[in-house]
Structure formats: structure tokens, C-alpha cells
Amino acid sequence: MRKLRKRAQGCYADFINLSEEEFVEMMVLDGCFVVEFLCKFSMTMLRDTRDLLFKMDWILHSIWRDLMLFENQLPFFVLAHLFNMTKIPDPRDNIIDLLIRYYYCIREKYFCSMSPGPERFLRISYGISPNGVKHFLGLVHTITSSSFAKLVSNRNCRNEEKRWDYINCATELYEAGIRFKKAKHTPLFDIKFANGTIYIPEFAVEEKTDTIFRNLIAHEEHLQDAGHKCITDFLTFLCCLINSAKDVLLISSFSWLFKLLLGNWPRFPAL
């Protein structure tokens, strides 16, 4: 691990106020915890009766939240190196698959009520190499946006400068004759407008969704122009569409499910 120290330190923009030994110790402790946790999460035979982490569901989400923090990322090559030192002969013993299985479980329980089956997420992992992953948050972003990125790549994109237009809220659009319908069997970010109707995929929102999206937005901003900012664009659209509880009630009446407390819609920062 000491041989990876300089490479790992080069991944952080801010000054690290740790000695060389302290930094190595931090990588080992944090990395070993993540690797052991992921292995025990998917391979239950590795757990014992003293594994308190798996006796309280709320802890699983707390760990998820810590792993998703933009400022809390551990270089993925550190995780991969530690993982390769502890591999066992099990077909599930692949760090990308382990992360995706954990991601699917948390997504299904806390993020979106209409999650696709785990098979689709695991198929995504076939084209992902640990060498191409920068950190946990980047992997989650790749998985979350993969379906939409594929749709965009198959469409004819015009080479025009980006233009930002103001979008009226849902109530004002409805008064102007625009209707809303739930899009069926489409990726989360695939919003369409046809024949006076906006088709939006079903989407569940609850108190923890805010944290997830804020960190994914931070990751997209860090990427600058290196890739599609589908999550930023999607949430910018929602922020324009929903300004009040009245907007939520209107959209919900057209069978778009929101799991949120009216009046407590998380306001995302201006982008």
C-alpha cells in the first residue's frame, strides 16, 4: 500500500494534513472496511453473529450515504488492490459486481420504488473494468445514467450551442393546455413531449434522495464537459416544473408517484 501512496495522494485536490504513515494507515483502514463490508453484504456465509452492521437496516443506508459523499471518495484502485489480496473462489467475488449488488439493494429500498431487476444492473458491470473506475461515486453515476447515455448516443444530436430556456411550473403549463402522463418502461431521465403531453417516467422521492442527487450533481460538475450531465439536467427540469405543493398534486393526479411530504420538496442549488 505504501507503493500506492503518491498515486493516491495525487487524486486529491486539497492539501492532506497527514504524514505519509498516517495517510497509508487511513487508506488501509478505510479500504479494508469497505471491502469486507461489500463481501459480507453479498456473501452471507462470511458473516458471524457479532456483525452488528447487518442486524439494523438503517446502518446500511448510513454507510451508503458516507460512500456517496463527493468529498469522501477513496481512489478505486486502492479498493481494487485490497480486494485482490482477499479474493475467494466465489463467482460473486468481483468488486464491481459486489458494489452493484449493494447499489441495487439500497436503490430498491430507499431511492426508487420502480427499480429494474438486479440482472440489468449486473449486465452493466460486464463492460466496466476496475481500471476505468475512479471512485465509488463515479461507478454509481455510470450505472445510474447508463441507459440514458445509450439513448442519447443512438440519436442524432445537433451541433448547436446550448441554450437555456425558462420552463414554467406544472400548474402554469396545465393552464396553458399541456398535459402530463406517466411514461412506461423508459429510463428515468427519458422525458418526452409529444402532442401537447409531457411524458415523465415514474419516480419516487423521499428524504434521503436529496443527498444522493446532490453528490451526483457535484460529480457531474467535476467532470465538466467530459460526459452527459443527465442527472443535473433532469433535476434542473424538475426544479422548474415543481414550485409548490400544488404542482406536486397536479402531477400526482396524472399517476406520477412522488414519495415526498408536500411542501418539503428539496430545493436544489441553482445550476
Side-chain angles (χ1 to χ4, degrees):
M1 190 56 63
R2 288 187 176 88
K3 294 181 180 179
L4 298 177
R5 179 187 59 80
K6 287 187 177 180
R7 182 184 172 189
Q9 284 182 319
C11 295
Y12 297 94
D14 296 332
F15 174 75
I16 301 175
N17 190 25
L18 295 173
S19 68
E20 294 183 4
E21 287 300 313
E22 289 173 334
F23 183 78
V24 171
E25 182 181 4
M26 178 195 70
M27 287 197 301
V28 172
L29 291 177
D30 289 358
C32 285
F33 171 81
V34 174
V35 169
E36 183 177 3
F37 171 74
L38 291 173
C39 289
K40 289 185 175 181
F41 182 85
S42 291
M43 294 174 276
T44 56
M45 71 281 193
L46 298 179
R47 305 178 194 174
D48 58 45
T49 56
R50 293 173 295 177
D51 281 325
L52 298 179
L53 292 179
F54 301 97
K55 291 185 177 182
M56 294 173 280
D57 287 344
W58 65 268
I59 293 183
L60 299 180
H61 179 77
S62 296
I63 294 174
W64 164 264
R65 181 184 178 279
D66 287 343
L67 290 175
M68 285 287 290
L69 290 176
F70 179 72
E71 67 275 17
N72 200 28
Q73 297 303 305
L74 192 66
F76 201 79
F77 62 81
V78 172
L79 293 178
H81 180 76
L82 291 171
F83 175 81
N84 290 333
M85 295 172 62
T86 62
K87 288 188 67 172
I88 63 174
D90 188 294
R92 295 168 297 177
D93 203 18
N94 174 293
I95 190 167
I96 299 293
D97 282 3
L98 293 179
L99 281 166
I100 289 179
R101 289 178 190 278
Y102 178 50
Y103 164 81
Y104 171 78
C105 177
I106 298 299
R107 176 189 174 97
E108 182 183 44
K109 196 163 188 178
Y110 299 106
F111 181 48
C112 186
S113 63
M114 298 299 291
S115 293
E119 296 79 12
R120 188 185 76 80
F121 287 113
L122 289 174
R123 282 199 299 271
I124 296 172
S125 71
Y126 298 158
I128 300 177
S129 168
N131 296 328
V133 178
K134 292 184 177 180
H135 42 63
F136 179 83
L137 181 62
L139 177 62
V140 171
H141 181 270
T142 298
I143 298 167
T144 304
S145 60
S146 61
S147 296
F148 185 75
K150 186 176 181 180
L151 281 174
V152 172
S153 65
N154 291 333
R155 293 174 179 171
N156 294 322
C157 298
R158 293 176 296 179
N159 295 321
E160 297 179 357
E161 293 184 1
K162 292 181 179 179
R163 188 183 71 181
W164 293 92
D165 292 326
Y166 174 77
I167 302 173
N168 295 74
C169 68
T171 303
E172 293 172 344
L173 291 175
Y174 181 77
E175 292 173 351
I178 303 298
R179 296 297 179 261
F180 300 90
K181 286 188 177 181
K182 180 176 68 175
K184 297 180 179 179
H185 310 299
T186 60
L188 176 62
F189 310 111
D190 193 16
I191 300 171
K192 296 179 180 179
F193 178 72
N195 300 321
T197 301
I198 298 178
Y199 294 89
I200 308 176
E202 189 174 52
F203 178 52
V205 177
E206 49 87 49
E207 60 181 352
K208 304 174 187 71
T209 309
D210 186 21
T211 297
I212 296 172
F213 278 146
R214 285 182 183 274
N215 286 285
L216 288 170
I217 288 175
H219 174 64
E220 287 189 339
E221 290 302 302
H222 179 70
L223 291 175
Q224 297 180 350
D225 295 327
H228 298 293
K229 296 185 178 181
C230 55
I231 294 173
T232 302
D233 293 342
F234 177 71
L235 294 175
T236 300
F237 172 76
L238 290 187
C239 284
C240 291
L241 203 63
I242 301 172
N243 283 329
S244 67
K246 186 184 294 185
D247 295 320
V248 178
L249 283 172
L250 174 64
I251 298 175
S252 298
S253 67
F254 287 95
S255 299
W256 185 14
L257 175 64
F258 281 95
K259 283 186 178 179
L260 53 80
L261 297 175
L262 299 183
N264 290 332
W265 173 259
R267 302 307 300 170
F268 295 92
L271 302 171

